[in-house]
């Protein structure tokens, strides 16, 4: 099984994640799409690290995980707050800043 | 003496080199006080404001009288010197010094300027005294006297200046004072409009003076009279240049002296208080144009074409004013038309060349007396008749206002030229001079002489008409403004005494001045001319003039003293109707100047709005429209932003791949 398969899998996962973000209204699901995109990127990084034989990609994958974890904390907190105040987690309803 | 030197000096002298040496006669320095006294008084009256209300008018009288005393002292000083040394240039200070342009502020004390100084201060002082009573009930009497003093100062500066630039300062000063005084009752809109009209008409003339000064400086490199006189007399300057300078100076004179074609403002200027009409618009300021022409005599002598135009303008205005005067029913406007006509005589005389200069000044002086006297008489009549000015509502006033009647009669006989009244000695001399052929061209003598002779006849008619309609015939009085009966009464002594003095001048001044050698006295300033014979013998001319005057007088007597004068003006002939509206002068001005000017400004305003403003606001509108379009993309949906990002990244990726591949 060549490394190319990993790249294709990563691309497919990214596309699924992106489509989820674009198509779903529920903020939690959108968030999951974002996580999927991040993880597909991680997969790419690890794959390229393997292809080029150095560890930079793997190190970067760790960074992405850390940032993703922090992002989840902040993002979920925001989503929970929005849900509490508006009884809805739809991203389309969150347009109060528009005039 | 120094003028004699400067006359023989090279034509064009460097401006930095003073043409005139230091004055030999220190007394001439006193001339500064002539200008300073009224100017200081005007400043005090204007700056102190209401605090000077109680005594301000007497300060004004004092300043004018003080200037007259200084003038008399100067006259005695000058008379004590031999005729060849009576021109004094007083250097005051270097005024402007910019490269080639160096202008000294200086005064010229000579017979011509002294004549004006004495006329202005003497008549001016009398009119100041008259105004104390005439303006008694006006709350702004102090301001009135401040303006009068300002006028006297500016007029004296005008006649005393030794260069065109300083003359121009006085020239503008009298224009300003005239504007302020015509519009003295500017809460009444037509009066304010009249003031504006006078100001604008004068500006047209001022442009002429400015252009003339520019030409003079370009030609002679200096603007003082001495250099210009020497340069114009030297014959080094082309005819074309001199003619252009002469015509521009004439334009200036036309504006100030209400000569054709800039005469339309003088009638409206009667909106000012009557003492103003007497002082500024009869005796002094309007004669400034005659002064300018005579002061620039050297230029006109060297440019015969310009001189001919001066005479033509004078002749036209002479007839114009006389015809208008025949139809006016407003006593002040009739007098204004007469002023215009009489100044036409002076300009005609000034256009005859050196032979007429002295007579122009002679007539100017006598006219200053008798016309100021008649204006003051008109003011006295208005004072007694509740400010009525329509002569058709006067009549029979001679029995009620004896002093006004007799003083006015003196002025009337003087302007008619009945011997031995003043006008006989001055106006008849002008008619005589007009009959002298110039350069062997008899047609000129016949044309100008004929016009002057006919003018004398018309003058006799309209002045007699004015006199008879006001003082003789039946009463045609209107009610007063508050509906009561008219009670004409003689004016207070402060008003009658100036009239008496001026009447004495109207009676005797001509005889006295011709006996004491007034014409010879002016020679150092205006030059000496040999006596020339007119085309007709002098006694015949005098007889013809007197016949013309008698015809006018008898005609007026029959129509306005013997027969009944209708209270409402009859329709009259076409000429009468035209003369009532100043021979359509305002209509012509409106059609030729005002309407095109208004179209021009309107089209400029339109162009400004459409093109300039359009470009600026157009850019603004376009920006707003673009912003409006872009705003639609900001719809507030987070997912649509994400979609844009995804599409954008994909497009970028494709582009990068396509370029690299």
């Amino acid at each position: 099984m060549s490394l190319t398969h990993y790249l294709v899998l990563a691309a497919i996962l990214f596309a699924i994640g992106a489509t989820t973000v674009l198509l779903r209204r529920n903020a939690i699901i959108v968030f999951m799409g974002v996580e999927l995109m991040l993880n597909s990127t991680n997969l790419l990084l690890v794959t390229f690290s393997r292809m080029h034989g150095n560890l930079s990609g793997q190190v970067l994958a760790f960074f992405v995980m850390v940032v993703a974890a922090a992002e989840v904390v902040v993002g979920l907190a925001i989503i929970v707050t929005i849900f509490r105040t508006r009884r809805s987690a739809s991203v389309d309803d969150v347009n109060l800043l528009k005039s | 003496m120094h003028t004699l030197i400067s006359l023989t000096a090279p034509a064009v002298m460097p401006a930095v080199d003073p043409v005139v040496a230091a004055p030999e006669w220190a007394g001439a320095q006193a001339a500064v006080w002539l200008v300073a006294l009224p100017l200081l008084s005007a400043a005090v009256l204007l700056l102190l404001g209401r605090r000077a209300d109680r005594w301000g008018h007497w300060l004004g009288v004092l300043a004018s009288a003080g200037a007259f005393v200084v003038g008399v002292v100067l006259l005695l000083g000058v008379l004590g010197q031999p005729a060849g040394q009576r021109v004094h240039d007083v250097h005051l200070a270097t005024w402007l010094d910019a490269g080639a342009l160096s202008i000294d502020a200086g005064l010229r004390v000579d017979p011509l300027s002294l004549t004006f100084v004495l006329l202005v201060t003497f008549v001016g002082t009398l009119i100041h005294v008259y105004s104390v009573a005439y303006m008694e009930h006006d709350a702004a009497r102090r301001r009135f006297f401040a303006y009068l003093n300002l006028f006297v100062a500016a007029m004296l500066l005008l006649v005393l200046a030794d260069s065109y630039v300083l003359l121009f300062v006085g020239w503008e000063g009298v224009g300003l004072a005239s504007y302020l005084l015509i519009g003295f009752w500017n809460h009444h809109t037509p009066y304010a409009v009249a003031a504006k009209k006078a100001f604008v008409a004068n500006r047209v003339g001022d442009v002429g003076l400015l252009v003339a000064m520019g030409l003079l400086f370009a030609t002679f490199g200096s603007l003082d009279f001495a250099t210009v006189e020497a340069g114009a007399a030297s014959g080094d300057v082309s005819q074309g240049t001199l003619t252009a300078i002469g015509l521009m100076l004439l334009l200036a004179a036309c504006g100030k002296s209400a000569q054709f074609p800039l005469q339309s403002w003088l009638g409206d200027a009667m909106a000012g208080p009557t003492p103003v009409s007497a002082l500024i618009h009869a005796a002094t300021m309007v004669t400034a144009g005659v002064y300018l022409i005579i002061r620039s005599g050297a230029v006109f002598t060297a440019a015969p074409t310009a001189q001919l135009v001066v005479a033509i303008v004078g002749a036209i205005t002479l007839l114009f004013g006389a015809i208008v005067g025949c139809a006016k029913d407003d006593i002040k406007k009739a007098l204004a038309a007469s002023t215009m006509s009489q100044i036409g005589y002076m300009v005609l005389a000034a256009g005859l060349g050196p032979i007429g200069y002295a007579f122009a000044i002679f007539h100017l002086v006598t006219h200053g007396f008798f016309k100021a006297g008649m204006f003051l008489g008109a003011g006295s009549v208005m004072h007694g008749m509740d400010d009525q000015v329509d002569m058709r509502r006067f009549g029979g006033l001679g029995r009620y206002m004896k002093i006004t009647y007799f003083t006015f009669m003196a002025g009337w006989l003087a302007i008619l030229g009945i011997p031995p009244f003043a006008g006989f000695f001055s106006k008849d001399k002008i008619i005589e001079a007009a009959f002298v052929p110039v350069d062997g061209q008899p047609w000129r003598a016949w044309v100008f002489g004929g016009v002057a002779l006919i003018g004398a006849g018309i003058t006799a008619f309209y002045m007699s008409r004015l006199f008879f309609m006001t003082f003789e015939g039946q009463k045609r009085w209107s009610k007063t403004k508050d509906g009561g009966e008219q009670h004409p009464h003689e004016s207070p002594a402060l008003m009658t005494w100036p009239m008496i003095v001026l009447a004495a001048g109207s009676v005797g001044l001509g005889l006295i001045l011709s006996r004491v050698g007034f014409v010879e006295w002016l020679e150092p300033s205006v030059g000496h001319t040999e006596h020339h014979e007119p085309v007709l013998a002098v006694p015949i001319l005098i007889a013809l003039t007197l016949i013309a005057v008698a015809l006018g007088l008898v005609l007026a007597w029959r129509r306005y003293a013997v027969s009944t004068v209708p209270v409402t003006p009859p329709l009259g002939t076409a000429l009468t109707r035209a003369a009532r509206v100043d021979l359509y002068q305002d209509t012509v001005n409106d059609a030729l100047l005002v309407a095109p000017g208004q179209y021009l400004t309107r089209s400029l305003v339109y162009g400004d709005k459409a093109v300039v403003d359009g470009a600026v606001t157009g850019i603004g509108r376009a920006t707003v429209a673009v912003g409006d379009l872009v705003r639609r993309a900001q719809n507030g949906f987070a997912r649509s932003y994400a979609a844009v990002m995804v599409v954008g990244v994909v497009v970028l990726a494709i582009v990068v791949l396509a370029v690299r591949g």
Side-chain angles (χ1 to χ4, degrees):
Chain A
M1 203 157 71
S2 76
L3 288 168
T4 317
H5 292 99
Y6 293 96
L7 295 181
V8 172
L9 176 64
I12 292 170
L13 285 174
F14 190 91
I16 292 171
T19 317
T20 310
V21 169
L22 291 182
L23 297 184
R24 298 305 294 263
R25 284 199 190 87
N26 192 317
I28 304 289
I29 309 290
V30 169
F31 221 65
M32 285 163 68
V34 172
E35 290 304 312
L36 197 57
M37 286 157 75
L38 284 168
N39 280 320
S40 76
T41 319
N42 277 349
L43 183 58
L44 275 176
L45 287 167
V46 173
T47 310
F48 283 126
S49 176
R50 183 84 175 192
M51 278 167 75
H52 294 118
N54 68 19
L55 293 174
S56 320
Q58 300 198 10
V59 172
L60 206 54
F62 278 115
F63 276 106
V64 171
M65 280 181 207
V66 171
V67 170
E71 182 228 326
V72 167
V73 170
V74 175
L76 275 177
I78 293 172
I79 290 168
V80 168
T81 317
I82 287 175
F83 185 77
R84 275 195 187 151
T85 54
R86 303 173 65 92
R87 290 282 137 202
S88 150
S90 167
V91 287
D92 285 0
D93 293 342
V94 191
N95 58 359
L96 285 177
L97 280 179
K98 182 187 179 248
S99 63
Chain B
M1 191 59 203
H2 37 261
T3 33
L4 294 180
I5 295 168
S6 69
L7 280 171
T8 52
V12 182
M13 302 197 76
V16 283
D17 187 4
V19 179
V20 177
E24 301 145 23
W25 181 47
Q29 298 279 355
V32 176
W33 288 103
L34 284 171
V35 182
L37 277 176
L39 196 62
L40 283 175
S41 163
V44 166
L45 291 179
L46 286 175
L47 290 176
L48 278 188
R50 294 240 172 104
R51 268 162 289 181
D53 268 356
R54 269 190 311 117
W55 44 268
H57 43 281
W58 290 116
L59 177 68
V61 174
L62 202 64
S64 182
F68 174 65
V69 171
V70 176
V72 170
V73 170
L74 277 172
L75 173 74
L76 293 177
V78 169
L79 279 177
Q81 286 157 339
Q85 297 176 14
R86 283 183 178 168
V87 181
H88 301 275
D89 282 332
V90 184
H91 176 80
L92 295 180
T94 303
W95 184 16
L96 303 172
D97 192 6
L101 179 70
S102 169
I103 292 160
D104 290 342
L107 303 178
R108 169 171 279 204
V109 178
D110 69 350
L112 180 59
S113 65
L114 269 182
T115 305
F116 267 89
V117 164
L118 290 173
L119 174 71
V120 171
T121 53
F122 184 70
V123 177
T125 306
L126 289 177
I127 290 172
H128 274 74
V129 172
Y130 179 93
S131 307
V132 171
Y134 189 82
M135 301 294 284
E136 194 172 4
H137 303 297
D138 199 298
R141 178 163 64 160
R142 171 195 49 81
R143 195 160 52 87
F144 181 80
F145 276 83
Y147 293 161
L148 274 190
N149 276 179
L150 179 67
F151 167 76
V152 171
M155 188 72 202
L156 291 179
L157 184 64
L158 195 165
V159 295
L160 281 167
D162 77 339
S163 70
Y164 285 95
V165 185
L166 200 58
L167 178 145
F168 190 64
V169 175
W171 189 269
E172 291 301 304
V174 293
L176 169 71
S178 157
Y179 168 78
L180 291 170
L181 286 166
I182 296 171
F184 189 73
W185 291 318
N186 56 12
H187 44 79
H188 192 50
T189 310
Y191 292 3
V193 172
K196 203 163 69 181
K197 185 176 177 186
F199 202 70
V200 171
N202 270 292
R203 289 292 78 69
V204 177
D206 295 346
V207 170
L209 189 50
L210 278 173
V211 174
M213 283 200 289
L215 287 170
L216 282 169
F217 183 72
T219 315
F220 301 112
S222 171
L223 284 170
D224 56 282
F225 295 142
T227 317
V228 170
E229 275 164 21
S234 70
D236 296 341
V237 185
S238 77
Q239 272 294 308
T241 314
L242 285 173
T243 308
I245 294 171
L247 291 179
M248 285 298 123
L249 289 173
L250 175 64
L251 179 65
C254 284
K256 194 59 87 191
S257 292
Q259 296 297 292
F260 183 83
L262 293 176
Q263 80 284 22
S264 66
W265 64 270
L266 188 61
D268 291 357
M270 294 302 122
T274 310
V276 172
S277 310
L279 178 61
I280 301 186
H281 305 117
T284 54
M285 184 194 85
V286 285
T287 58
V290 182
Y291 170 80
L292 181 70
I293 292 174
I294 291 174
R295 194 49 112 182
S296 314
V299 174
F300 285 100
T301 309
T305 318
Q307 203 166 42
L308 178 61
V309 178
V310 171
I312 292 172
V313 165
I316 291 175
T317 315
L318 186 174
L319 285 181
F320 194 110
I323 292 168
V324 170
C326 292
K328 289 284 180 188
D329 290 330
D330 179 327
I331 185 169
K332 284 182 75 183
K333 292 202 169 173
L335 284 173
S338 155
T339 303
M340 203 189 287
S341 169
Q342 294 301 309
I343 296 173
Y345 269 107
M346 299 171 209
V347 171
L348 170 64
L352 296 171
I355 184 176
Y357 290 163
F359 300 136
I361 297 294
F362 195 174
H363 192 51
L364 197 155
V365 172
T366 55
H367 173 257
F369 273 77
F370 62 68
K371 187 55 69 63
M374 282 193 283
F375 260 113
L376 294 189
S380 175
V381 168
M382 285 162 62
H383 189 80
M385 290 291 283
D386 196 36
D387 285 337
Q388 175 66 265
V389 290
D390 188 355
M391 292 190 291
R392 294 188 184 276
R393 308 311 301 238
F394 292 159
L397 288 175
R399 273 159 284 169
Y400 298 87
M401 312 172 85
K402 286 282 180 217
I403 301 177
T404 309
Y405 176 70
F406 283 112
T407 53
F408 206 101
M409 182 186 273
W412 167 59
L413 292 174
I415 195 172
L416 256 55
I418 307 280
F421 291 87
F424 172 74
F425 294 93
S426 55
K427 198 166 74 174
D428 278 30
K429 281 289 178 190
I430 292 180
I431 297 173
E432 203 177 291
F435 269 109
V436 171
V438 182
D439 303 334
Q441 291 169 296
W443 68 268
R444 281 205 208 179
W446 289 109
V447 170
F448 291 138
V451 167
L453 193 58
I454 295 166
I458 306 178
T459 304
F461 173 73
Y462 71 78
M463 284 314 295
S464 309
R465 169 179 181 269
L466 193 157
F467 186 77
F468 294 144
M469 277 174 93
T470 305
F471 293 106
E472 306 286 349
Q474 296 108 347
K475 302 176 195 173
R476 302 177 299 275
W477 305 344
S478 59
K479 301 275 185 200
T480 56
K481 272 177 232 144
D482 40 17
E485 291 295 322
Q486 290 280 17
H487 296 289
H489 53 87
E490 190 51 90
S491 303
L494 275 178
M495 284 168 73
T496 49
W497 273 107
M499 287 153 57
I500 293 168
V501 175
L502 289 172
S506 313
V507 174
L509 195 67
L511 185 65
I512 295 169
L513 286 185
S514 64
R515 281 284 169 274
V516 298
F518 183 70
V519 173
E520 290 76 28
W521 146 256
L522 282 174
E523 267 175 12
S525 298
V526 302
H528 173 76
T529 41
E530 295 303 319
H531 180 71
H532 294 279
E533 277 305 314
V535 287
L536 292 173
V538 176
I540 300 179
L541 281 178
I542 293 176
L544 279 176
T545 312
L546 286 178
I547 290 169
V549 168
L551 279 177
L553 180 61
V554 168
L555 191 61
W557 169 259
R558 291 190 41 162
R559 287 189 60 175
Y560 299 104
V562 178
S563 51
T564 320
V565 179
V567 173
T568 47
L571 186 61
T573 61
L575 184 64
T576 314
R577 288 197 297 275
R580 275 187 196 135
V581 289
D582 299 334
L583 297 180
Y584 301 115
Q585 170 70 19
D586 284 336
T587 320
V588 171
N589 280 355
D590 276 350
L592 279 184
L593 303 168
V594 178
Q598 282 176 343
Y599 276 123
L600 182 67
T601 50
R602 258 188 233 139
S603 56
L604 282 177
V605 167
Y606 176 77
D608 182 46
K609 278 199 178 131
V611 179
V612 180
D613 288 8
V616 176
T617 54
I619 290 172
R621 285 220 188 91
T623 314
V624 169
V626 170
D628 218 37
L629 281 177
V630 175
R631 192 167 61 89
R632 284 165 211 277
Q634 304 289 322
N635 52 15
F637 292 117
R639 294 188 303 138
S640 98
Y641 301 159
V644 170
M645 276 169 71
V646 169
V647 171
V649 169
V650 169
V651 168
L652 272 178
I654 291 171
V655 168
V656 169
L657 285 176
V659 169
R660 285 182 68 193

